[in-house]
Amino acid sequence: MALYSGICLAVLYGLIATTAAQADMKDSCHWKCLEFAQLWPGSFCMTFLKIPCRIPKQVDGWTIHGLWPDGKTGCNRTWKLTQKDIDDLQVDLRHYWPSLVKKDAFKFWQDEWYKHGTCGACADSMSCPHKYFSLVLELRTKFSIDTSLSAAGIKPSCNNSYTYEHFHSALFYLHTHINLQCYIYKKQQILMQIKIPLSKDLSVGCHPHEENFSKSYYEPCTNKSKIYLYPFTPHPRHPCS
Ligand SMILES: *[C@@H]1O[C@H](CO)[C@@H](O)[C@H](O)[C@H]1NC(C)=O
Ligand SMILES: *[C@@H]1O[C@H](CO)[C@@H](O)[C@H](O)[C@H]1NC(C)=O
Ligand SMILES: *[C@@H]1O[C@H](CO)[C@@H](O)[C@H](O)[C@H]1NC(C)=O
Ligand SMILES: *[C@@H]1O[C@H](CO)[C@@H](O)[C@H](O)[C@H]1NC(C)=O
């Protein structure tokens, strides 16, 4: 704890002390937008046919997939995440940013830090691991998919489906550029992931060049057929059979 805050504070004070250095760091960001991705664990596990997928007990809603600056990944090979960096966040991270396919959640966070966090670190708001991980947790509270969907009467169900429009209007405050991703299962659209584009100042509605955002294997949801949101079950591969 003491060690990580020492490192974080040193960075912070360094920035305050020298505005020139601060400007340099801001300018060093190659990205314009971030994607904040949250996934529905019940659907995510359906997509893994070979790798065991499990939903930890404490998980009860949408979970974080990641916060990804557009463009490059892996911006600083030497900057490794350590347990100490995020000691005080681990309970929340296990709840809201669990690993569903890796046995060790810490390995998942290490990967996310290495691939994406190190690229975000040029921005003041996420300039060290502790800031990055606390910021992501805050974003999940601020942009709570659970709250928005339940306010719109959308509940996980095996029997009921919803229209694309229903989801879209439930999440309208997140801006129209929000990206809903579906998995096609037995010819049905299963809502799987929601990506919210954010600007560098973390406001909604950044317009990325599509090609700079990570390519994804999940389809964009369409309004051509209804969309399902299945409940979690102890058998995540087949939640409704
Ligand atoms: C997209 O990526 C290219 C190549 O890395 C970069 O030159 C361009 O500035 C990026 N565009 C945005 C909006 O980030
Ligand atoms: C890369 O990470 C190291 C810590 O491992 C840090 O000292 C260095 O400043 C980082 N470089 C950049 C460009 O952020
Ligand atoms: C949904 O369907 C299942 C099986 O088809 C049934 O057991 C269950 O009662 C139904 N639930 C609702 C809320 O209709
Ligand atoms: C369905 O989506 C298409 C393409 O995005 C759009 O042009 C059309 O108006 C939508 N239809 C409805 C009923 O919302």
Side-chain angles (χ1 to χ4, degrees), residues 25 28 75-80 118 121-122:
M25 280 195 72
S28 75
C75 294
N76 188 339
R77 210 171 293 186
T78 62
W79 203 346
K80 300 266 193 277
T118 55
C122 54

Side-chain angles (χ1 to χ4, degrees), residues 30-33 70-72 207-209 211-213:
H30 63 273
W31 47 271
K32 176 181 157 218
C33 305
D70 67 12
K72 274 190 284 189
H207 295 231
H209 290 300
E211 73 275 11
N212 283 21
F213 267 163

Side-chain angles (χ1 to χ4, degrees), residues 145-154 166 170:
I145 306 288
D146 298 295
T147 309
S148 311
L149 295 188
S150 75
I154 299 178
H166 202 151

Side-chain angles (χ1 to χ4, degrees), residues 54-60 95 232:
R54 56 177 186 97
I55 303 171
K57 301 195 283 301
Q58 70 275 20
V59 170
D60 50 7
H95 191 167
F232 301 174

Side-chain angles (χ1 to χ4, degrees), residues 154-170:
I154 299 178
K155 286 186 233 123
S157 165
C158 288
N159 308 343
N160 297 324
S161 57
Y162 300 89
T163 62
Y164 179 86
E165 265 315 308
H166 202 151
F167 281 105
H168 215 259
S169 59

Side-chain angles (χ1 to χ4, degrees), residues 46-47 49 182-190 228 230 237-241:
M46 291 172 69
T47 70
L49 302 179
C182 281
Y183 172 64
I184 308 298
Y185 177 76
K186 298 188 174 168
K187 298 189 178 161
Q188 288 172 341
Q189 298 195 90
I190 314 291
Y228 284 83
Y230 287 157
R237 282 266 298 287
H238 307 286
C240 289
S241 53

